[in-house]
Amino acid sequence: MRLLIAGAQGQLARAMIELAPSAEDVTAFAVGRPALDLTAPSSVLRTLADFKPDVIVNAAAYTAVDRAEQEPDAAMALNAQGPRRLAEAVERMGALLIHISTDCVFDGAKPTPYVEDDATAPLSVYGRSKLAGEEAVRAAAPRHIILRTSWVFSPYGSNFLTRMIGLARERDELRVVDDRMGCPTYAPHLAAAILGVARAATAAPHRGTWGTYHGAGTGSTTWCGFAREIMRVSGAHGGPSVPVVPITTAEYPTPAIRPVNSRLDSSKLTAVFDVALPPWQQGVAECMARLRE
Ligand SMILES: NC(=O)c1ccc[n+]([C@@H]2O[C@H](COP(=O)([O-])OP(=O)(O)OC[C@H]3O[C@@H](n4cnc5c(N)ncnc54)[C@H](OP(=O)(O)O)[C@@H]3O)[C@@H](O)[C@H]2O)c1
């Protein structure tokens, strides 16, 4: 299987490219800007023609959730028009598109974890742009898998876990919101799940497997609970660790409104593809071990 990953420098793409060489049946390429720029149609066509992939994973996105409130056009260009362009090209070559989306397509009002068919109602520019991307992929490429994930963290670059560790070096305590729930997702666990989905979907290339799925770390917590687990694991290995004080979202206002309930029910992914992500706490432990190396 030839697998092309768009968004080479992102945390999910990096996790995928680290994992792929250990899989003998997969030849993986990650391509980023400028060679593959989703806002530049010619680069999309050229890259697909050069690599001739069987599966394309779109891990490229405008992910600056707060900045998107000021830059809606840029968010739409990358998260909606980019995937549409990619989906049209992928469909023409008969390949499979695995497009990564987000919990932010929901408004969070549901009291229980979201399933794939729940009504979408994004609260932010980012969420609206990602929802438009989903709709564009569905319209342009029947051979698609839209995989919504949430609260992605990894050893790479800036994300919630690496920011908490950095802040714990500078501060006596961390104040973290405790009234929003979600499923933290370790990028390498998500990468392994995507490889599993790609294998299963190409082995059984029929409509029964195409569609929308949720794929997030097993279990759920609040941002405060997530931070406390990071501090616990860090402290247990002699790393920075400070108390985490619970606060409300009202005490930490941000430009973009985020769902109060971001929890994703990933059971359809397991039922169809026999793929399940490990508990999010295992992701924290593995990520901290990687950072210690
Ligand atoms: N992070 C989360 O918590 C989270 C939660 C839910 C869903 N998701 C979704 O998961 C996916 C992967 O997220 P991530 O955290 O790995 O993202 P990320 O680390 O922010 O990486 C996004 C990548 O997109 C690339 N990119 C930006 N503009 C581009 C363009 N015009 N053409 C091609 N690539 C471009 C960036 O490249 P440069 O390095 O060149 O800027 C970057 O490598 C995204 O679809 C995101 O919406 C993420």
Side-chain angles (χ1 to χ4, degrees), residues 2-283:
R2 289 174 67 80
L3 187 78
L4 176 71
I5 305 145
Q9 299 306 316
Q11 45 178 349
L12 176 57
R14 289 177 66 179
M16 290 209 67
I17 214 70
E18 263 194 26
L19 186 75
S22 60
E24 283 176 7
D25 57 332
V26 178
T27 308
F29 312 88
V31 186
R33 292 188 287 178
L36 177 54
D37 181 338
L38 291 194
T39 63
S42 59
S43 77
V44 174
L45 297 176
R46 194 172 47 242
T47 303
L48 293 187
D50 286 350
F51 289 92
K52 298 181 179 54
D54 306 298
V55 179
I56 295 92
V57 177
N58 182 22
Y62 184 111
T63 54
V65 178
D66 287 319
R67 202 169 68 222
E69 297 297 314
Q70 303 301 321
E71 300 180 348
D73 293 347
M76 287 302 275
L78 186 47
N79 291 348
Q81 288 133 31
R84 176 181 53 74
R85 209 168 279 130
L86 185 62
E88 287 167 354
V90 168
E91 182 61 14
R92 273 198 298 277
M93 64 188 296
L96 172 74
L97 175 61
I98 301 181
H99 174 72
I100 311 303
S101 192
T102 172
D103 56 290
C104 288
V105 298
F106 297 117
D107 65 8
K110 192 183 178 195
T112 53
Y114 279 93
V115 295
E116 289 78 354
D117 292 337
D118 281 328
T120 51
L123 302 170
S124 62
V125 167
Y126 169 74
R128 284 191 287 279
S129 71
K130 292 293 287 185
L131 180 59
E134 289 189 2
E135 287 162 355
V137 167
R138 284 186 199 107
R143 269 174 294 238
H144 70 257
I145 286 169
I146 292 170
L147 188 60
R148 296 187 186 128
T149 191
S150 58
W151 296 20
V152 179
F153 66 99
S154 70
Y156 323 113
S158 175
N159 57 70
F160 185 78
L161 184 145
T162 56
R163 280 197 298 276
M164 289 300 115
I165 295 292
L167 289 172
R169 292 185 206 284
E170 300 164 5
R171 298 185 185 173
D172 297 334
E173 65 175 27
L174 303 178
R175 294 165 58 77
V176 184
V177 295
D178 199 30
D179 55 3
R180 294 209 313 267
M181 294 209 73
C183 309
T185 304
Y186 184 44
H189 290 167
L190 180 60
I194 291 170
L195 267 189
V197 167
R199 276 198 194 95
T202 49
H206 55 77
R207 287 174 181 279
T209 56
W210 302 336
T212 302
Y213 294 84
H214 291 172
T218 295
S220 62
T221 185
T222 64
W223 287 110
C224 180
F226 189 11
R228 282 184 169 152
E229 179 65 6
I230 294 164
M231 291 299 110
R232 188 189 70 74
V233 176
S234 178
H237 293 90
S241 183
V242 294
V244 182
V245 177
I247 61 169
T248 63
T249 297
E251 292 175 271
Y252 187 73
T254 53
I257 301 170
R258 291 159 169 85
V260 166
N261 173 26
S262 275
R263 290 173 295 162
L264 298 176
D265 179 330
S266 304
S267 51
K268 182 181 166 193
L269 193 73
T270 307
V272 176
F273 295 114
D274 198 20
V275 164
L277 278 80
W280 65 268
Q281 295 93 332
Q282 186 180 326

